[in-house]
């Protein structure tokens, strides 16, 4: 397939005709308006959990595609540790299979991370796709953990692979995706400020253009 259609993991589809599919369509339509601060707001009368679920799936798909474009540059030798610049290094643990955080290469970390996210998204008890099936009580904390981890993939791409992104002329795509992601997590206070520190300057810059 062509470069642009290469995803790192299989795309997570939202069933057509479902309410979540309608919400996703709504999100895409409002994004087209160009006002991202407005586009991320909870649509009137909608359930917050469902809005967060639909957008989380969408961000997973976007990051999946963005990372898919640069996987050949993110290797065991180029990225022996999962970092976001010299000051931030991430060790992997998922609390079930790997309880004690392990130091591993970026490609391995991102593989663990995206597989873990995929397992959460595929779990009907966490992300119910059927109408009327309630979200679990711990849904918000699960969503926060997913988004916190997805942020790390953006941070790694920006810090370690931005030159490759530029060469592939994907920077507008990356910036738009990240800006949407940041505005979304800011709107609902989903990621702790400390966790966002590796891209603090970029986040400030993206926000100031919209005030």
């Amino acid at each position: 397939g062509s470069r642009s259609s290469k995803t790192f993991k299989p795309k997570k589809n939202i069933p057509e005709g479902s309410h979540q599919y309608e919400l996703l369509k709504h999100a895409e339509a409002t994004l087209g308006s160009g006002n991202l601060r407005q586009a991320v707001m909870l649509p009137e009368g909608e359930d917050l959990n469902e809005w967060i679920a639909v957008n989380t799936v969408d961000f997973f798909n976007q990051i999946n595609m963005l990372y898919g474009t640069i996987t050949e540059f993110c290797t065991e030798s180029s990225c022996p540790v999962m970092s976001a610049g010299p000051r931030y290094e991430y060790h992997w643990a998922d609390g079930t299979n790997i309880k004690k955080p392990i130091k591993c290469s970026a490609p391995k970390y991102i593989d663990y991370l995206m597989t873990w996210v995929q397992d959460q998204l595929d779990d009907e008890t966490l992300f119910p796709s059927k109408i009327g099936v309630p979200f679990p009580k711990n849904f918000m904390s699960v969503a926060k953990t997913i988004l916190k981890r997805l942020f790390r993939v953006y941070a790694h791409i920006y810090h370690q692979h931005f030159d490759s992104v530029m060469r592939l002329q994907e920077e507008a795509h990356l910036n738009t995706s990240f800006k949407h992601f940041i505005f979304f997590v800011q709107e609902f206070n989903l990621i702790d400020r400390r966790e966002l520190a590796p891209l603090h300057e970029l986040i400030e810059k993206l926000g100031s253009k919209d005030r």
Side-chain angles (χ1 to χ4, degrees):
S2 70
R3 290 201 75 94
S4 60
S5 65
K6 190 169 110 185
T7 61
F8 180 57
K9 297 272 168 203
K11 185 172 188 275
K12 169 79 182 160
N13 287 315
I14 289 178
E16 238 175 290
S18 67
H19 182 62
Q20 292 187 8
Y21 187 78
E22 296 309 311
L23 268 182
L24 182 65
K25 286 279 156 271
H26 170 89
E28 285 168 359
T30 49
L31 276 177
S33 73
N35 184 339
L36 277 175
R37 286 269 180 228
Q38 225 167 340
V40 296
M41 289 175 183
L42 179 67
E44 213 172 315
E46 291 298 345
D47 175 58
L48 179 62
N49 285 345
E50 194 153 34
W51 182 238
I52 287 175
V54 165
N55 281 279
T56 300
V57 169
D58 193 34
F59 290 128
F60 168 78
N61 286 334
Q62 288 183 39
I63 292 168
N64 201 358
M65 207 159 78
L66 288 161
Y67 184 68
T69 62
I70 58 122
T71 43
E72 65 193 90
F73 309 110
C74 185
T75 62
E76 300 281 329
S77 55
S78 72
C79 302
V81 294
M82 173 62 180
S83 62
R87 289 173 50 212
Y88 300 95
E89 189 179 303
Y90 301 110
H91 296 178
W92 178 256
D94 57 16
T96 44
N97 300 323
I98 299 173
K99 291 193 169 69
K100 190 169 175 263
I102 56 166
K103 188 171 178 165
C104 57
S105 68
K108 198 167 234 106
Y109 184 101
I110 293 171
D111 192 15
Y112 279 135
L113 185 154
M114 296 300 269
T115 303
W116 176 84
V117 172
Q118 205 171 18
D119 291 344
Q120 311 302 302
L121 299 180
D122 287 341
D123 184 342
E124 281 287 328
T125 63
L126 291 177
F127 281 79
S129 61
K130 294 176 182 60
I131 298 280
V133 177
F135 282 85
K137 288 196 170 40
N138 66 334
F139 174 74
M140 220 33 132
S141 72
V142 171
K144 284 178 175 178
T145 305
I146 291 173
L147 293 164
K148 173 180 84 175
R149 289 178 171 172
L150 287 176
F151 168 81
R152 295 170 180 176
V153 184
Y154 281 118
H156 179 72
I157 295 173
Y158 271 112
H159 277 283
Q160 314 302 136
H161 299 292
F162 197 66
D163 54 340
S164 301
V165 171
M166 301 264 289
R167 271 203 311 277
L168 296 165
Q169 298 178 325
E170 288 282 339
E171 69 267 33
H173 182 189
L174 174 64
N175 289 339
T176 305
S177 172
F178 181 64
K179 186 175 181 178
H180 180 200
F181 178 88
I182 282 300
F183 283 16
F184 188 82
V185 299
Q186 286 174 336
E187 173 71 14
F188 303 106
N189 209 359
L190 298 168
I191 302 181
D192 193 299
R193 281 183 71 92
R194 284 185 315 240
E195 282 285 338
L196 300 173
L199 293 177
H200 173 72
E201 283 167 25
L202 176 65
I203 292 168
E204 289 290 295
K205 204 166 83 183
L206 292 173
S208 66
K209 284 185 185 156
D210 269 79
R211 288 203 182 105

